Amino acid sequence: MVNQRQRSPLRPTLEEVAVAAGVGRGTVSRVVNGSPQVSPAAKAAVERAIADLGYVPNRAARALVTQRTDSVALVISESEDRLFGEPFFAGIIRGISSMLTETPLQLWLALATSPEERLRVHQHLTPQHVDGVLLLSLHADDALPAMLAEKDLPVVLGGRFARMLDAPEKAGVSFVDVDNVGGARQATSHLVDTGRRRIATITGPQDMGVGIARLAGYREALDAAGIEVVDDLIGYGDFSEASGMAATRALLAAHPDIDAVFAASDPMALGVLRVLRDAGRRVPEDIAVVGFDDSVLANQTLPTLTSVHQPVEEMGRTMARLLYDKISGIEPAQPYVILGTHLVERDSS
């Protein structure tokens, strides 16, 4: 075994790794390139030699052999303000990164918030640059999925388009999502169970599957409770705190008698709490509030926020795992995953 003192001052070579591991050069190459045609003992010996020598594969040479770049792209169709300001995106990226550390794949991030940016990203997303693509925060006018389908690149969506909600098995593309309908139904039913009857909601964009699904869950819960769904009690936001504040002001002005608000994201719920405090409304005595995310924000608000827990990091890990399997030529038995949600009760309701 080569120890730290025996390292070459130059960049270690494949041949040096082979000598240190006591195997042939071809065996080292197969281990480095992820081939399964290596015995467990030989693989372990090579990995120990790589660690001892500090060997770093020549990525360009490896790409010539494997026809892979060992890079994947995460494309988010939102602004920098939302990406860096909302816990949801940080959780997704943590989950993706934690799974990719177990693979040879490197992650690069791109924002695509305009047609011009989407075109630039599309032009870069080729098999010569990336092995696969993760798409997040999709809007109905997002042309990237259709563009990528023409390039024969493996793709996994985070969330889904509205057309995929009723028949996910017919989506024609792999995706990972959470049970947004069920989570919103749980949140609204909880408010009903606490005796609230004038329950408003602030939902997400209706050009996104997640926005449509969370509004559907709210409607289903009120229908099940025999409470009329009043369209004027539905406000619309973009999941940001500012949109939650604007929608709450409008709801209070039109319907000062509301006794509960289900906000379809924690940042929007934070906006609700700010406006209610400024308006002198007590939470939960006058108006109960429930959010959706169960993010770090939920324990930082005053009062603490009841919220629907969605497993964001698990969502990111699952997206990355599905994509890695596709890149590796493994087709999953089920090309999509829908993760469960549950309500976490705190002081706001």
Side-chain angles (χ1 to χ4, degrees), residues 101-145:
T101 58
E102 303 169 14
T103 76
L105 300 177
Q106 299 292 316
L107 180 68
W108 67 268
L109 174 66
L111 300 184
T113 58
S114 69
E116 294 76 19
E117 289 174 339
R118 289 189 184 96
L119 180 59
R120 284 198 298 272
V121 169
H122 167 253
Q123 290 170 339
H124 186 79
L125 296 179
T126 68
Q128 289 74 41
H129 291 115
V130 295
D131 296 327
V133 183
L134 300 163
L135 296 178
L136 187 64
S137 204
L138 295 167
H139 295 258
D141 62 350
D142 199 327
L144 270 178

Side-chain angles (χ1 to χ4, degrees), residues 69-238:
T69 67
D70 282 348
S71 297
V72 295
L74 170 61
V75 182
I76 301 178
S77 297
E78 296 295 350
S79 66
E80 285 188 17
D81 289 345
R82 289 202 56 204
L83 172 64
F84 295 110
E86 296 181 22
F88 171 80
F89 296 106
I92 287 282
I93 294 171
R94 277 197 304 270
I96 292 170
S97 297
S98 69
M99 191 277 160
L100 291 183
T101 58
E102 303 169 14
T103 76
L105 300 177
Q106 299 292 316
L107 180 68
W108 67 268
L109 174 66
L111 300 184
T113 58
S114 69
E116 294 76 19
E117 289 174 339
R118 289 189 184 96
L119 180 59
R120 284 198 298 272
V121 169
H122 167 253
Q123 290 170 339
H124 186 79
L125 296 179
T126 68
Q128 289 74 41
H129 291 115
V130 295
D131 296 327
V133 183
L134 300 163
L135 296 178
L136 187 64
S137 204
L138 295 167
H139 295 258
D141 62 350
D142 199 327
L144 270 178
M147 292 177 177
L148 293 173
E150 301 172 357
K151 295 188 175 184
D152 198 29
L153 272 172
V155 175
V156 174
L157 310 183
R160 47 187 155 156
F161 288 114
R163 65 177 182 274
M164 302 177 183
L165 294 175
D166 295 330
E169 70 281 356
K170 297 180 181 179
V173 63
S174 290
F175 67 85
V176 180
D177 204 355
V178 301
D179 181 10
N180 290 298
V181 174
R185 188 168 54 237
Q186 290 173 350
T188 310
S189 295
H190 167 71
L191 291 169
V192 172
D193 292 342
T194 60
R196 313 293 170 156
R197 289 298 178 268
R198 291 286 287 173
I199 303 172
T201 187
I202 302 172
T203 193
Q206 296 302 287
D207 66 342
M208 300 180 72
V210 60
I212 293 171
R214 291 180 187 177
L215 179 56
Y218 162 83
R219 291 179 179 275
E220 286 182 12
L222 292 186
D223 284 340
I227 299 174
E228 180 185 1
V229 177
V230 179
D231 288 342
D232 284 353
L233 292 180
I234 300 173
Y236 297 91
D238 61 5

Side-chain angles (χ1 to χ4, degrees), residues 249-318:
R249 291 190 188 102
L251 286 168
L252 285 178
H255 299 279
D257 60 339
I258 60 175
D259 58 12
V261 178
F262 162 53
S265 76
D266 282 359
M268 290 200 300
L270 179 59
V272 175
L273 292 174
R274 290 188 189 282
V275 171
L276 293 180
R277 183 176 62 245
D278 292 345
R281 300 295 185 95
R282 299 171 300 163
V283 178
E285 292 85 357
D286 300 329
I287 300 178
V289 179
V290 175
F292 199 120
D293 284 326
D294 189 31
S295 66
V296 294
L297 295 175
N299 279 310
Q300 297 173 353
T301 59
L302 189 65
T304 55
L305 179 66
T306 296
S307 185
V308 177
H309 177 80
Q310 58 172 343
V312 177
E313 290 194 33
E314 183 182 354
M315 183 178 177
R317 285 192 296 270
T318 306

